[in-house]
Coordinates of all heavy atoms in Angstrom, one line a residue:
M13 N 143.2 165.0 30.5 CA 143.2 164.2 31.7 C 142.5 163.0 31.5 O 141.5 162.9 30.7 CB 142.5 165.1 32.9 CG 142.5 164.5 34.2 SD 142.1 165.7 35.4 CE 143.1 165.0 36.7
T14 N 142.8 161.9 32.2 CA 142.2 160.6 32.1 C 141.4 160.3 33.3 O 141.7 160.5 34.4 CB 143.3 159.5 31.9 OG1 144.1 159.9 30.9 CG2 142.6 158.2 31.6
F15 N 140.1 159.7 33.0 CA 139.2 159.4 34.0 C 138.8 157.9 33.8 O 138.6 157.5 32.6 CB 137.9 160.3 34.0 CG 138.2 161.7 34.2 CD1 138.5 162.5 33.1 CD2 138.2 162.2 35.5 CE1 138.8 163.9 33.3 CE2 138.5 163.6 35.7 CZ 138.8 164.4 34.6
L16 N 138.6 157.2 34.9 CA 138.0 155.9 34.8 C 136.6 155.9 35.4 O 136.5 156.3 36.6 CB 138.9 154.9 35.6 CG 138.4 153.4 35.5 CD1 138.4 152.9 34.1 CD2 139.2 152.5 36.4
M17 N 135.6 155.6 34.6 CA 134.2 155.7 35.0 C 133.8 154.3 35.2 O 133.7 153.5 34.2 CB 133.4 156.5 34.0 CG 133.8 157.9 33.7 SD 132.8 158.7 32.5 CE 131.2 159.0 33.3
H18 N 133.3 153.9 36.3 CA 132.8 152.6 36.6 C 131.3 152.8 36.8 O 130.7 153.6 37.5 CB 133.3 152.0 37.9 CG 132.7 150.7 38.3 ND1 131.9 150.6 39.4 CD2 132.8 149.5 37.7 CE1 131.5 149.4 39.5 NE2 132.0 148.7 38.5
W19 N 130.6 151.9 36.0 CA 129.1 152.0 36.1 C 128.6 150.6 36.5 O 129.2 149.6 36.2 CB 128.5 152.4 34.8 CG 128.9 151.5 33.5 CD1 129.9 151.7 32.7 CD2 128.2 150.3 33.1 NE1 129.9 150.7 31.7 CE2 128.9 149.8 32.0 CE3 127.2 149.6 33.6 CZ2 128.5 148.7 31.3 CZ3 126.8 148.4 33.0 CH2 127.4 147.9 31.9
S20 N 127.4 150.6 37.1 CA 126.7 149.4 37.4 C 125.2 149.7 37.3 O 124.7 150.8 37.6 CB 127.0 148.8 38.8 OG 126.8 149.8 39.8
F21 N 124.4 148.7 36.9 CA 123.0 148.9 36.7 C 122.3 149.0 38.1 O 122.6 148.3 39.0 CB 122.3 147.7 36.0 CG 122.6 147.7 34.6 CD1 123.4 146.6 34.1 CD2 122.1 148.6 33.7 CE1 123.6 146.6 32.7 CE2 122.3 148.6 32.4 CZ 123.2 147.6 31.9
K22 N 121.3 150.0 38.2 CA 120.5 150.0 39.3 C 119.5 148.9 39.3 O 119.2 148.4 38.2 CB 119.8 151.4 39.4 CG 120.6 152.6 39.6 CD 119.8 153.9 39.7 CE 120.8 155.0 40.0 NZ 120.1 156.3 40.0
T23 N 119.1 148.5 40.4 CA 118.1 147.3 40.4 C 116.9 147.6 39.6 O 116.3 148.7 39.8 CB 117.7 147.0 41.9 OG1 118.9 146.7 42.7 CG2 116.8 145.8 42.0
G24 N 116.6 146.7 38.7 CA 115.3 146.8 37.9 C 115.5 147.7 36.6 O 114.6 147.8 35.9
Y25 N 116.7 148.1 36.4 CA 116.9 149.0 35.2 C 117.8 148.3 34.0 O 118.1 149.1 33.1 CB 117.6 150.3 35.6 CG 116.6 151.3 36.2 CD1 116.3 151.3 37.6 CD2 115.9 152.2 35.4 CE1 115.4 152.1 38.1 CE2 115.0 153.0 35.9 CZ 114.8 153.0 37.3 OH 113.8 153.8 37.9
H26 N 118.1 147.1 34.2 CA 118.9 146.4 33.2 C 118.3 146.5 31.8 O 119.0 146.9 30.8 CB 119.2 145.0 33.6 CG 120.2 144.3 32.7 ND1 119.8 143.6 31.5 CD2 121.5 144.1 32.8 CE1 120.9 143.2 30.9 NE2 121.9 143.5 31.7
E27 N 117.1 146.1 31.6 CA 116.4 146.1 30.3 C 116.3 147.5 29.7 O 116.6 147.8 28.6 CB 115.1 145.4 30.4 CG 114.4 145.3 29.0 CD 113.1 144.5 29.1 OE1 112.7 144.0 30.1 OE2 112.4 144.4 28.0
I28 N 115.8 148.5 30.6 CA 115.7 149.9 30.1 C 117.1 150.4 29.6 O 117.1 151.0 28.5 CB 115.2 150.7 31.2 CG1 113.7 150.3 31.6 CG2 115.2 152.2 30.9 CD1 113.3 150.9 32.9
A29 N 118.1 150.2 30.3 CA 119.4 150.7 30.0 C 120.0 149.9 28.7 O 120.6 150.6 27.8 CB 120.4 150.6 31.2
A30 N 119.7 148.6 28.7 CA 120.2 147.9 27.5 C 119.6 148.4 26.3 O 120.2 148.5 25.2 CB 120.0 146.4 27.8
K31 N 118.3 148.6 26.3 CA 117.5 149.1 25.1 C 118.0 150.5 24.8 O 118.1 150.8 23.5 CB 116.1 149.0 25.4 CG 115.5 147.6 25.4 CD 114.0 147.6 25.6 CE 113.5 146.1 25.5 NZ 112.1 146.1 25.8
K32 N 118.2 151.3 25.7 CA 118.7 152.7 25.5 C 120.1 152.6 24.8 O 120.4 153.3 23.8 CB 118.7 153.5 26.7 CG 119.2 155.0 26.6 CD 119.2 155.7 27.9 CE 119.8 157.1 27.7 NZ 119.7 157.9 28.9
F33 N 121.0 151.8 25.3 CA 122.3 151.6 24.8 C 122.3 151.1 23.3 O 123.0 151.6 22.5 CB 123.1 150.6 25.7 CG 124.5 150.3 25.2 CD1 125.5 151.3 25.4 CD2 124.8 149.2 24.5 CE1 126.8 151.1 24.9 CE2 126.1 149.0 24.0 CZ 127.1 149.9 24.2
M34 N 121.4 150.1 23.1 CA 121.3 149.6 21.7 C 120.8 150.6 20.7 O 121.2 150.6 19.6 CB 120.5 148.2 21.7 CG 121.2 147.1 22.4 SD 120.4 145.5 22.3 CE 118.9 145.9 23.2
A35 N 119.9 151.4 21.2 CA 119.2 152.4 20.3 C 120.1 153.6 20.1 O 120.1 154.2 19.0 CB 117.9 152.9 20.9
T36 N 120.9 154.0 21.1 CA 121.7 155.2 20.9 C 123.2 155.0 20.8 O 123.9 155.8 20.2 CB 121.6 156.1 22.2 OG1 122.2 155.4 23.3 CG2 120.1 156.4 22.4
G37 N 123.7 153.8 21.2 CA 125.2 153.6 21.2 C 125.9 154.3 22.3 O 127.1 154.3 22.4
A38 N 125.1 155.0 23.1 CA 125.7 155.8 24.2 C 126.9 156.7 23.8 O 128.0 156.6 24.2 CB 126.1 154.9 25.4
P39 N 126.6 157.6 22.9 CA 127.7 158.4 22.5 C 128.4 159.3 23.5 O 127.7 159.6 24.6 CB 127.0 159.4 21.4 CG 125.6 159.4 21.8 CD 125.4 158.1 22.4
F40 N 129.5 159.7 23.4 CA 130.3 160.4 24.4 C 131.0 161.6 23.6 O 132.3 161.6 23.6 CB 131.3 159.5 25.0 CG 131.6 159.8 26.5 CD1 131.7 158.8 27.4 CD2 131.9 161.1 26.9 CE1 132.0 159.1 28.7 CE2 132.2 161.4 28.1 CZ 132.2 160.4 29.1
P41 N 130.3 162.5 23.0 CA 130.9 163.5 22.1 C 131.7 164.6 22.7 O 132.6 165.2 22.1 CB 129.7 164.1 21.4 CG 128.6 163.9 22.4 CD 128.9 162.7 23.1
S42 N 131.6 164.8 24.0 CA 132.3 166.0 24.6 C 133.6 165.6 25.2 O 134.1 166.3 26.2 CB 131.4 166.7 25.6 OG 130.9 165.8 26.6
C43 N 134.3 164.6 24.7 CA 135.6 164.2 25.2 C 136.5 163.9 24.0 O 136.0 163.7 22.9 CB 135.5 163.0 26.2 SG 135.0 161.5 25.5
K44 N 137.8 163.8 24.3 CA 138.8 163.6 23.2 C 138.6 162.1 22.7 O 138.7 161.9 21.5 CB 140.2 163.8 23.7 CG 140.5 165.3 24.1 CD 141.9 165.4 24.6 CE 142.1 166.8 25.1 NZ 143.4 166.9 25.8
S45 N 138.6 161.2 23.6 CA 138.5 159.8 23.2 C 137.9 159.0 24.4 O 138.0 159.5 25.6 CB 139.8 159.2 22.8 OG 140.7 159.2 23.9
W46 N 137.4 157.8 24.2 CA 136.9 157.0 25.2 C 137.0 155.6 24.8 O 136.9 155.3 23.5 CB 135.5 157.3 25.7 CG 134.4 156.9 24.8 CD1 133.6 155.8 24.9 CD2 133.9 157.6 23.7 NE1 132.8 155.7 23.9 CE2 132.9 156.8 23.1 CE3 134.3 158.8 23.0 CZ2 132.2 157.2 21.9 CZ3 133.6 159.1 21.9 CH2 132.6 158.4 21.4
K47 N 137.0 154.6 25.7 CA 137.0 153.2 25.4 C 136.1 152.6 26.4 O 136.3 152.8 27.6 CB 138.4 152.6 25.5 CG 138.7 151.7 24.4 CD 140.2 151.3 24.4 CE 140.4 150.4 23.2 NZ 141.7 149.8 23.2
R48 N 135.2 151.8 26.0 CA 134.2 151.2 26.9 C 134.4 149.7 27.1 O 134.7 149.0 26.1 CB 132.8 151.4 26.3 CG 131.6 151.2 27.2 CD 130.3 151.5 26.6 NE 130.1 152.9 26.5 CZ 129.8 153.6 25.3 NH1 129.6 152.9 24.2 NH2 129.7 154.9 25.2
F49 N 134.4 149.2 28.3 CA 134.5 147.8 28.6 C 133.4 147.3 29.4 O 132.9 148.0 30.3 CB 135.9 147.7 29.5 CG 137.1 148.2 28.8 CD1 137.5 149.5 29.0 CD2 137.8 147.4 28.0 CE1 138.6 150.0 28.4 CE2 138.9 147.8 27.4 CZ 139.3 149.2 27.5
H50 N 133.0 146.1 29.1 CA 131.8 145.5 29.7 C 132.3 144.2 30.5 O 133.0 143.4 29.8 CB 130.7 145.1 28.8 CG 130.2 146.3 28.0 ND1 129.0 146.9 28.3 CD2 130.7 146.9 26.9 CE1 128.8 147.9 27.5 NE2 129.8 148.0 26.6
A51 N 131.9 144.0 31.7 CA 132.1 142.8 32.4 C 131.3 141.7 31.9 O 130.2 141.9 31.3 CB 131.9 143.0 33.9
P52 N 131.7 140.4 32.0 CA 130.9 139.3 31.5 C 129.5 139.4 32.3 O 129.4 139.7 33.4 CB 131.6 138.1 32.0 CG 133.1 138.5 31.9 CD 133.1 139.9 32.5
G53 N 128.5 139.3 31.5 CA 127.1 139.4 32.0 C 126.6 140.7 31.9 O 125.4 141.1 32.0
S54 N 127.5 141.7 31.6 CA 127.2 143.1 31.3 C 126.3 143.8 32.4 O 125.3 144.5 32.1 CB 126.6 143.3 30.0 OG 127.6 143.1 29.0
V55 N 126.5 143.5 33.7 CA 125.8 144.2 34.7 C 126.7 145.4 35.3 O 126.2 146.1 36.1 CB 125.3 143.3 35.9 CG1 124.4 142.3 35.4 CG2 126.5 142.6 36.5
E56 N 127.9 145.4 34.9 CA 128.8 146.5 35.2 C 129.8 146.7 34.1 O 130.0 145.8 33.3 CB 129.4 146.3 36.5 CG 130.5 145.2 36.6 CD 131.2 145.1 37.9 OE1 131.3 146.1 38.6 OE2 131.6 143.9 38.2
G57 N 130.5 147.9 34.2 CA 131.5 148.1 33.2 C 132.3 149.3 33.5 O 132.1 150.0 34.5
W58 N 133.2 149.7 32.6 CA 134.1 150.8 32.8 C 134.3 151.6 31.5 O 134.2 151.0 30.4 CB 135.5 150.3 33.2 CG 135.4 149.6 34.5 CD1 135.6 150.1 35.7 CD2 135.1 148.2 34.6 NE1 135.5 149.0 36.7 CE2 135.1 147.9 36.0 CE3 134.8 147.2 33.8 CZ2 134.8 146.6 36.6 CZ3 134.4 145.9 34.3 CH2 134.5 145.6 35.6
I59 N 134.4 152.9 31.6 CA 134.8 153.7 30.4 C 136.1 154.5 30.8 O 136.1 155.2 31.8 CB 133.7 154.7 30.1 CG1 132.3 154.0 30.0 CG2 133.9 155.4 28.8 CD1 131.1 155.0 29.9
L60 N 137.1 154.3 29.9 CA 138.3 155.0 30.1 C 138.2 156.3 29.2 O 138.1 156.2 28.0 CB 139.5 154.2 29.6 CG 140.9 154.7 30.0 CD1 141.0 154.9 31.5 CD2 141.9 153.7 29.5
V61 N 138.2 157.4 29.8 CA 137.9 158.7 29.1 C 139.1 159.6 29.1 O 139.7 159.8 30.1 CB 136.7 159.4 29.8 CG1 136.4 160.7 29.2 CG2 135.5 158.6 29.9
E62 N 139.4 160.3 28.0 CA 140.3 161.3 27.8 C 139.6 162.5 27.6 O 138.8 162.7 26.6 CB 141.3 161.1 26.6 CG 142.3 160.0 26.9 CD 143.4 160.4 27.9 OE1 143.7 161.6 28.0 OE2 143.9 159.5 28.5
A63 N 139.6 163.5 28.5 CA 138.9 164.7 28.5 C 139.7 165.9 29.1 O 140.6 165.7 29.9 CB 137.5 164.6 29.2
D64 N 139.3 167.2 28.6 CA 140.0 168.3 29.2 C 139.7 168.5 30.6 O 140.5 169.1 31.4 CB 139.7 169.6 28.4 CG 140.3 169.5 27.0 OD1 141.4 168.9 26.8 OD2 139.7 170.1 26.0
D65 N 138.5 168.2 31.1 CA 138.1 168.3 32.4 C 137.0 167.3 32.8 O 136.5 166.6 31.9 CB 137.6 169.8 32.7 CG 136.5 170.2 31.9 OD1 135.5 169.5 31.8 OD2 136.6 171.4 31.3
A66 N 136.6 167.4 34.0 CA 135.6 166.3 34.5 C 134.2 166.7 34.0 O 133.3 165.8 34.2 CB 135.6 166.3 36.0
S67 N 133.9 167.8 33.4 CA 132.6 168.1 33.0 C 132.0 167.1 31.9 O 130.8 166.9 31.9 CB 132.4 169.6 32.5 OG 133.2 169.7 31.4
A68 N 132.8 166.6 31.1 CA 132.4 165.6 30.1 C 131.9 164.3 30.8 O 130.9 163.8 30.4 CB 133.6 165.2 29.2
C69 N 132.6 163.9 31.8 CA 132.2 162.8 32.6 C 130.9 163.0 33.3 O 130.0 162.2 33.4 CB 133.3 162.4 33.6 SG 134.9 161.9 32.9
Y70 N 130.8 164.2 33.9 CA 129.6 164.6 34.6 C 128.4 164.5 33.7 O 127.3 164.0 34.0 CB 129.7 166.0 35.2 CG 128.6 166.4 36.1 CD1 128.5 166.1 37.4 CD2 127.5 167.1 35.5 CE1 127.5 166.5 38.2 CE2 126.4 167.5 36.2 CZ 126.4 167.2 37.6 OH 125.3 167.5 38.3
E71 N 128.5 165.1 32.5 CA 127.4 165.2 31.6 C 127.0 163.8 31.2 O 125.8 163.4 31.1 CB 127.8 166.0 30.3 CG 126.7 166.1 29.3 CD 127.1 167.0 28.1 OE1 128.2 167.6 28.1 OE2 126.3 167.0 27.1
H72 N 127.9 162.9 30.8 CA 127.6 161.6 30.4 C 126.9 160.8 31.5 O 125.9 160.1 31.4 CB 128.8 160.9 29.9 CG 128.5 159.5 29.3 ND1 128.0 159.4 28.0 CD2 128.7 158.2 29.7 CE1 127.8 158.2 27.7 NE2 128.2 157.4 28.7
A73 N 127.4 160.8 32.7 CA 126.8 160.2 33.9 C 125.5 160.7 34.2 O 124.6 159.9 34.5 CB 127.7 160.4 35.1
A74 N 125.2 162.0 34.0 CA 123.9 162.5 34.2 C 122.9 162.0 33.3 O 121.7 161.7 33.6 CB 123.9 164.1 34.2
E75 N 123.3 161.8 32.0 CA 122.5 161.3 31.0 C 121.9 159.9 31.3 O 120.9 159.4 30.8 CB 123.1 161.2 29.6 CG 123.4 162.7 29.1 CD 124.2 162.7 27.8 OE1 124.5 161.6 27.3 OE2 124.5 163.8 27.4
W76 N 122.8 159.1 32.0 CA 122.5 157.7 32.3 C 122.1 157.5 33.8 O 121.9 156.3 34.3 CB 123.7 156.8 32.0 CG 123.8 156.8 30.5 CD1 124.4 157.6 29.6 CD2 123.2 155.7 29.7 NE1 124.2 157.2 28.3 CE2 123.5 156.0 28.3 CE3 122.5 154.6 29.9 CZ2 123.1 155.2 27.2 CZ3 122.0 153.8 28.8 CH2 122.4 154.1 27.5
A77 N 122.0 158.6 34.6 CA 121.8 158.4 36.0 C 120.5 157.7 36.4 O 120.5 157.2 37.5 CB 121.9 159.8 36.7
E78 N 119.5 157.8 35.6 CA 118.3 157.1 36.0 C 118.5 155.6 36.1 O 117.9 154.9 37.0 CB 117.2 157.3 34.9 CG 115.9 156.5 35.1 CD 115.0 156.6 34.0 OE1 115.3 157.3 32.9 OE2 113.9 156.1 34.1
C79 N 119.4 155.1 35.2 CA 119.6 153.6 35.1 C 120.9 153.1 35.8 O 121.0 151.9 36.1 CB 119.6 153.2 33.6 SG 118.2 153.6 32.7
L80 N 121.9 153.9 35.9 CA 123.2 153.5 36.4 C 123.7 154.2 37.6 O 123.5 155.4 37.7 CB 124.2 153.7 35.2 CG 123.9 153.1 33.9 CD1 125.0 153.5 32.8 CD2 123.9 151.6 34.0
D81 N 124.5 153.5 38.4 CA 125.2 154.1 39.5 C 126.6 154.3 38.9 O 127.1 153.5 38.2 CB 125.3 153.2 40.7 CG 123.9 153.2 41.4 OD1 123.3 154.3 41.6 OD2 123.5 152.1 41.9
W82 N 127.3 155.4 39.3 CA 128.6 155.7 38.8 C 129.6 156.0 39.9 O 129.3 156.5 41.0 CB 128.5 157.0 38.0 CG 127.8 156.9 36.8 CD1 126.5 157.2 36.6 CD2 128.2 156.5 35.5 NE1 126.1 157.1 35.3 CE2 127.2 156.6 34.6 CE3 129.5 156.1 35.0 CZ2 127.3 156.3 33.3 CZ3 129.6 155.8 33.7 CH2 128.5 155.9 32.8
E83 N 130.9 155.6 39.6 CA 132.0 156.0 40.4 C 133.0 156.5 39.3 O 133.4 155.8 38.4 CB 132.7 154.9 41.1 CG 131.9 154.3 42.3 CD 132.6 153.2 43.0 OE1 133.8 153.2 43.0 OE2 131.8 152.4 43.6
V84 N 133.5 157.8 39.5 CA 134.4 158.4 38.5 C 135.7 158.8 39.2 O 135.7 159.5 40.2 CB 133.8 159.6 37.8 CG1 134.7 160.2 36.9 CG2 132.4 159.2 37.2
T85 N 136.8 158.3 38.7 CA 138.1 158.5 39.3 C 139.1 159.0 38.3 O 139.3 158.5 37.3 CB 138.6 157.1 39.8 OG1 137.7 156.5 40.7 CG2 139.9 157.3 40.6
P86 N 139.7 160.2 38.6 CA 140.9 160.7 37.8 C 142.0 159.7 38.0 O 142.3 159.2 39.1 CB 141.1 162.1 38.3 CG 140.3 162.3 39.5 CD 139.5 161.1 39.7
V87 N 142.7 159.3 36.9 CA 143.8 158.3 36.9 C 145.0 158.9 36.2 O 144.8 159.7 35.3 CB 143.4 157.0 36.4 CG1 142.3 156.3 37.3 CG2 142.9 157.0 35.0
L88 N 146.2 158.4 36.6 CA 147.4 158.8 36.0 C 148.1 157.5 35.4 O 148.0 156.4 36.0 CB 148.3 159.4 37.0 CG 147.9 160.7 37.7 CD1 148.8 161.1 38.8 CD2 147.7 161.8 36.7
S89 N 148.8 157.7 34.3 CA 149.6 156.6 33.7 C 150.8 156.4 34.5 O 151.2 157.3 35.3 CB 149.9 156.9 32.2 OG 150.8 158.0 32.2
D90 N 151.6 155.4 34.3 CA 152.9 155.2 34.9 C 153.8 156.4 34.6 O 154.5 156.9 35.5 CB 153.6 153.9 34.3 CG 153.0 152.7 34.9 OD1 152.2 152.8 35.8 OD2 153.4 151.6 34.4
E91 N 153.8 156.9 33.3 CA 154.7 158.0 32.9 C 154.3 159.3 33.7 O 155.2 160.1 34.0 CB 154.5 158.2 31.4 CG 155.1 157.0 30.6 CD 154.1 155.9 30.5 OE1 152.9 156.1 30.7 OE2 154.6 154.8 30.2
E92 N 153.0 159.5 34.0 CA 152.6 160.6 34.8 C 152.9 160.5 36.3 O 153.3 161.4 36.9 CB 151.2 160.9 34.6 CG 150.8 161.3 33.1 CD 149.3 161.2 32.8 OE1 148.6 160.3 33.2 OE2 148.8 162.2 32.1
A93 N 152.6 159.3 36.8 CA 152.7 159.1 38.3 C 154.2 158.9 38.7 O 154.5 159.2 39.9 CB 151.9 157.9 38.6
G94 N 155.0 158.3 37.8 CA 156.4 158.0 38.2 C 157.2 159.2 38.7 O 157.8 159.2 39.8
P95 N 157.2 160.4 38.0 CA 157.9 161.5 38.5 C 157.3 162.1 39.8 O 158.0 162.6 40.6 CB 157.7 162.6 37.4 CG 157.5 161.8 36.2 CD 156.7 160.6 36.6
L96 N 156.0 161.9 40.0 CA 155.4 162.4 41.2 C 155.8 161.6 42.5 O 156.1 162.2 43.5 CB 153.8 162.5 41.1 CG 153.4 163.3 39.9 CD1 151.8 163.1 39.8 CD2 153.6 164.8 40.2
I97 N 155.8 160.3 42.3 CA 156.2 159.4 43.4 C 157.7 159.5 43.7 O 158.2 159.4 44.8 CB 155.8 158.0 43.1 CG1 155.7 157.2 44.5 CG2 156.6 157.3 42.2 CD1 154.6 157.6 45.3
A98 N 158.5 159.8 42.6 CA 159.9 160.0 42.8 C 160.2 161.2 43.6 O 161.2 161.3 44.4 CB 160.6 160.1 41.4
K99 N 159.3 162.3 43.5 CA 159.5 163.5 44.3 C 159.4 163.2 45.8 O 160.0 163.7 46.7 CB 158.5 164.5 43.9 CG 158.8 165.2 42.6 CD 157.6 166.0 42.2 CE 157.7 167.5 42.5 NZ 156.6 168.3 41.9
V100 N 158.4 162.2 46.1 CA 158.1 161.9 47.5 C 159.2 161.1 48.1 O 159.6 161.3 49.3 CB 156.7 161.1 47.6 CG1 156.5 160.6 49.0 CG2 155.6 161.9 47.1
Y101 N 159.8 160.1 47.4 CA 160.8 159.2 47.9 C 162.2 159.4 47.4 O 163.1 158.6 47.6 CB 160.4 157.8 47.5 CG 159.1 157.3 48.2 CD1 157.9 157.3 47.5 CD2 159.1 157.1 49.6 CE1 156.7 156.9 48.1 CE2 157.9 156.8 50.3 CZ 156.7 156.7 49.5 OH 155.6 156.3 50.2
A102 N 162.5 160.6 46.8 CA 163.8 160.9 46.3 C 164.6 161.4 47.5 O 164.2 161.9 48.4 CB 163.8 161.9 45.2

């Protein structure tokens, strides 16, 4: 399953989170794959995650919850969503 995780820094936590990120690389070992994207200025970003279930996202978000606010959304590709929408409008 694919999840889009949107993160943003909590007020006053930019430096703490940046130092933690540089020291650890923010590993995400409990998922199949992930890709991280940073907005210009790096005050927010997104992680596109492939995982068997949402627990991988929950664990990662919990590790960073002190510094970051999160929104996690399950998402579908065109290939996955197409047949579903076709059922509705067929």
Side-chain angles (χ1 to χ4, degrees):
M13 184 162 211
T14 305
F15 299 90
L16 182 62
M17 300 179 70
H18 174 250
W19 58 265
S20 59
F21 286 113
K22 292 181 177 180
T23 303
Y25 283 87
H26 187 273
E27 184 176 356
I28 294 165
K31 287 181 177 178
K32 181 178 177 179
F33 178 77
M34 290 186 296
T36 67
F40 211 136
S42 55
C43 65
K44 295 176 186 175
S45 68
W46 77 97
K47 224 174 181 182
R48 194 177 288 128
F49 302 90
H50 301 260
S54 289
V55 295
E56 69 175 332
W58 301 264
I59 308 171
L60 192 58
V61 178
E62 287 289 332
D64 291 330
D65 59 49
S67 62
C69 299
Y70 183 91
E71 182 179 352
H72 190 72
E75 290 173 8
W76 288 85
E78 176 187 2
C79 303
L80 303 175
D81 288 319
W82 291 96
E83 289 182 29
V84 181
T85 306
V87 295
L88 300 173
S89 68
D90 285 351
E91 294 77 20
E92 294 166 317
L96 300 174
I97 199 72
K99 287 168 103 175
V100 173
Y101 293 107

